[in-house]
Amino acid sequence: MSDDRLIVALDVPNVVTGLELCAKLNPTVDFYKIGLGMLTGGGLALANELKQEHGKRIFLDMKFFDIGATVEAAVRGIAQYDFDFLTVHGDPHVVRAAGEGKAGSDLKILAVTILTSLDRADLDAGLIKAGDIQDLVVERAAKALEAGADGVIASPQEAALIRALPQAKGRLIVTPGVRPAGADLGDQKRVATPRDALTDGADYIVVGRPIWQASDPAAAARSILASIKDVKRNA
């Protein structure tokens, strides 16, 4: 049983640990996320090995943010590896530059709206404009999609609102901050269960610690897959 709507976050220290975890999860899991925390532990090499040698789908979570020329060059370099998803910050100039960088490839650019570990108090501390956090996420998502993003990263609590946007037609919504019922929330503040996230409009869910910290990671993944098996894919 596998379902590529489940993306497992490989938030582990290095390539060796990552490969050991993937071996435990094979063939249950087909899609993996590798982020900045793994970059100095050989994350790019691991992503390439999983893609090229094991046929896995890869979500590279780099959250690029810089001047346009730098973002364009960075994305052009990533695009040569044939990965599936890449994150950039949702500022329109960043999204447009990423679109230029990925030109000619099948790489999907996903725009980060507001991190799922943040709440209104965090936004206030960061001098982000006033307003309800859901409204800001939806506004940011709309602008990123208008700038050419293939999809957005948003918490499951905003998935339905984003899915309702005209700009979201045919685009992807990928939700971190997903926790099975009863799981420890960790540093996530805006969460939902896997089933609820997909029902509310997400195309893919990202789950990390509830799987890789489990005594039996494959069983944890299978439990999540069982909970979503009858949820229809979003059009």
Side-chain angles (χ1 to χ4, degrees), residues 35-73:
L36 284 171
M38 264 283 285
L39 194 61
T40 57
L44 194 58
L46 174 60
N48 195 48
E49 181 171 343
L50 290 175
K51 180 72 176 184
Q52 301 301 329
E53 297 183 24
H54 299 275
K56 302 299 183 181
R57 300 187 70 192
I58 297 296
F59 169 10
L60 202 62
D61 187 19
M62 295 290 105
K63 298 185 180 71
F64 287 150
F65 179 80
D66 212 310
I67 64 171
T70 299
V71 171
E72 181 179 346

Side-chain angles (χ1 to χ4, degrees), residues 7 21 37 55 62 69 74 83 103-104 106 108 118 123 125 129 144 148 163 190 196 210 218-219 229 231-232 235:
I7 301 175
L21 176 59
M62 295 290 105
F83 298 142
D106 292 327
K108 302 296 186 186
L118 304 182
L123 301 189
K129 76 175 185 178
R163 179 56 65 200
R190 304 185 340 265
D196 287 345
K229 67 179 181 180
V231 179
K232 292 183 179 179

